[in-house]
Amino acid sequence: MIPDQAPKEDVFLGCEEMKKEAHVPSFEKYKELYLKSIDNPDEFWGDVAKDFFWKTKHSGQFLDYNFDVTKGEIFVKCMEGASTNICYNLLDRNVHERKLGDKVAFYWEGNEPGDELTVTYRELLQRVCQFANVLKSQGVKKGDRVSIYMPMVVELVVAMLACVRIGAVHSIVFAGFSAESLCERILDSQCSLLVTADGFYRGDKLINLKFLADEALQKCRDKGFPVKRCIMLKHLSKEAEETPLGSHSPPAKRSCPDLQVPWNPDVDLCWHTLVHGASDECEPEWCESEDPLFILYTSGSTGKPKGVLHTVSGYMLYTAVTFKLVFDYQPDDVYWCTADIGWITGHSYITYGPLANGATSVLFEGLPTYPDVSRMWEIVDKYQVTKFYTAPTAIRLLMKYGSEPVQKYKRESLKVLGTVGEPINPEAWQWYYNVVGEKRCPIVDTFWQTETGGHVLTPLPAATPMKPGSATFPFFGVVPAILNESGEELEGPSEGYLVFKQPWPGVMRTVYGNQQRFETTYFKKFPGYYVTGDGCRRDKDGYYWITGRIDDMLNVSGHLLSTAEVESALVEHEVVAEAAVVGRPHPVKGESLYCFVTLTDGVTYNRALEAELRKQVREKIGAIATPDYIQEAPGLPKTRSGKIMRRVLRKIACDERDLGDISTLADSSVVDQLFQNRCCTV
Ligand code: PRX
């Protein structure tokens, strides 16, 4: 468990100055609050809930649950009997009760420097109400699912909160995903309406998003599911200049009058036309605590993505309190999370957590390397960012260019630095700490998942001594354990499966439409525990160190991909008979995709085919899944019972000749052949 005293050796202590005003100023205070959150959750969470507006109060215990499949259905219920509306809490409460109407909610920074926009809480509330009325006028009702496929623009937040206001369930699909992926997600969640945009720039690259959206809608129609309406925001075309959101002047680079936007008059509607004239008042729909809030898809080890379902009250409390304490949020902060809202990090820590606290955030459309590798630090200085949250892959990418592009800017405003998405290697941690934060800013290495809703293992910046690469200790209400293969809890320093023994308010409630899959994926292996799928080590001081996935998942640039998903995209090509995909360590992306493909008889492997296969995966899943290496495999190493030995393939991908025990291998000559023809370069 958590030690009484924090270790004093081999740790980084962070900033003394911060302790004066911090919400959790010492390790002792952290421990005291942690014990309270476990021993008396009703009181602990009751205090958190006091900050929010409840239409009706909850009755009974704060959390009710079953985590044991042998005792019946798995469930988590938080604050039963309470009703509220998150949009009301994020916007109306801040504007009316807390008098933050004129406070900036977002500094939007476009892909192109100089393209910018400021939106206050009052303006955001008006825009959300208008769009909520638009959704209602299109027949969207409480409980309906709405798909959102948009770039990083303020209207993405508007669309998501408009859904929340009327009790509709948003399903945001990252704009980097392919038409096929969008179609799959629309079908699974049975969305009646899609919100998208004409297009956007990512660096120099123009993405014609509407084109992809149309392709997805066509695929849905082909599969017998016609989506009734598609609302398109004009982000690049001329009308974008007249967008009613705040004041900004899109530079020539953004407005793109030549963009060919396909238009289907039976389905398509223009965002601007609909919003024009819509009332900016909209009574919120009061929702029960366990009403669905949103669905967000994450890769599943069988290949088919899982629709992770989060519900209203618990998620609101959890994202709000983790944001406040993990970033030690203070009212004059300017916070910047570089994630895309299409991922859980953007949901919880761009939209919900910061707005619940009345925070001012930067919302960035672009890339860390465009137009040059100083862009991040330029933005930090421009908005005087105090709390900054990014991914190890971005840190490693920028680290390659040395300290000079960082030092071109002052970064004096920075107070806390955060990371998320994958284990951070100590070298990248040190660079982040020494060069970016100039040894002044604590680093919060936050471990969590789409499923957990918010941070579950994390330092608190003024309380927890840091160890580079460790996500340190559990957040309040979270009880981790490490299990061995037989499911026994290990005590003290140990390594094994990371599991959680009880729920916290923000944990997922089910896999949308598939409770069975929810139970099998997370609760079946070790009854009584939520199984994260990650390996973990606990050191002598009780610190937790995530060692990486222990299932068939890969973490590419902080994004989870299942090997099965990539394999099925490859075998869909007519000349691929069989495919096996493994991870190979990559200096920037963490892991890269190394694919082995067995071709059908008589087909010869060549560069053109390789390019075709890459394209095939990109089109089926999205650019993040583009294979880094593809090797032709005349045969794959299999056990006598026909199971592919991925462990051996991983060794081949990394050129590690010590294969361990291969006595179950059916034909060892296959391995020699694969070693001989390994791919060394992309
Ligand atoms: O393997 C862990 C890794 O990312 C996985 C969750 O991915 P996803 O659901 O896409 O959510 C990512 C953003 C929360 C985890 O199972 N992971 C995430 N954060 C860390 C991490 N691994 C080590 N350290 C972290 N801080």
Side-chain angles (χ1 to χ4, degrees), residues 27-238:
F27 193 77
E28 291 67 34
K29 187 71 190 168
Y30 159 68
K31 175 135 194 188
E32 180 194 319
L33 284 170
Y34 180 79
L35 292 178
K36 179 175 166 185
S37 74
I38 304 304
D39 297 339
N40 196 347
D42 287 32
E43 191 183 322
F44 182 89
W45 294 107
D47 286 346
V48 176
K50 275 186 199 142
D51 271 350
F52 295 88
F53 175 83
W54 304 96
K55 188 74 176 169
T56 56
K57 300 256 181 285
H58 81 281
S59 49
Q61 65 200 95
F62 184 82
L63 265 172
D64 187 16
Y65 71 99
N66 173 39
F67 261 18
D68 188 343
V69 272
T70 64
K71 295 193 177 136
E73 178 160 305
I74 301 294
F75 72 88
V76 176
K77 289 179 183 161
C78 180
M79 298 188 78
E80 276 227 285
S83 60
T84 188
N85 181 284
I86 303 195
C87 179
Y88 183 91
N89 275 290
L90 266 46
L91 301 179
D92 307 60
R93 183 181 56 111
N94 280 325
V95 172
H96 301 305
E97 283 169 39
R98 302 170 80 196
K99 309 289 174 224
L100 298 178
D102 294 327
K103 189 172 178 185
V104 173
F106 289 110
Y107 290 118
W108 180 76
E109 172 81 12
N111 179 64
E112 201 63 31
D115 190 9
E116 61 197 45
L117 176 69
T118 297
V119 183
T120 64
Y121 272 85
R122 183 174 297 106
E123 285 166 337
L124 191 58
L125 173 59
Q126 283 167 355
R127 302 306 155 214
V128 167
C129 286
Q130 278 185 323
F131 199 66
N133 285 323
V134 165
L135 290 177
K136 283 207 283 193
S137 72
Q138 294 307 317
V140 179
K141 300 180 302 299
K142 184 175 177 190
D144 287 352
R145 277 80 54 215
V146 172
S147 223
I148 303 177
Y149 185 55
M150 291 177 89
M152 283 285 283
V153 290
V154 176
E155 288 86 348
L156 168 53
V157 179
V158 170
M160 77 197 283
L161 293 184
C163 289
V164 174
R165 192 158 191 95
I166 63 171
V169 180
H170 60 73
S171 165
I172 301 182
V173 179
F174 172 54
F177 273 131
S178 63
E180 176 115 6
S181 297
L182 174 60
C183 162
E184 189 177 18
R185 286 157 175 75
I186 291 175
L187 291 178
D188 189 78
S189 51
Q190 302 273 293
C191 288
S192 54
L193 187 140
L194 172 68
V195 188
T196 189
D198 47 1
F200 61 102
Y201 278 99
R202 252 183 100 63
D204 270 335
K205 205 169 151 205
L206 173 66
I207 316 282
N208 190 334
L209 199 65
K210 179 61 165 47
F211 184 81
L212 296 171
D214 276 13
E215 211 180 310
L217 294 183
Q218 187 54 48
K219 285 178 195 290
C220 289
R221 271 191 290 277
D222 294 346
K223 294 187 174 160
F225 187 78
V227 174
K228 292 189 203 85
R229 293 275 174 261
C230 172
I231 301 179
M232 189 197 79
L233 174 84
K234 290 176 177 169
H235 177 53
L236 290 185
S237 43
K238 268 278 172 230

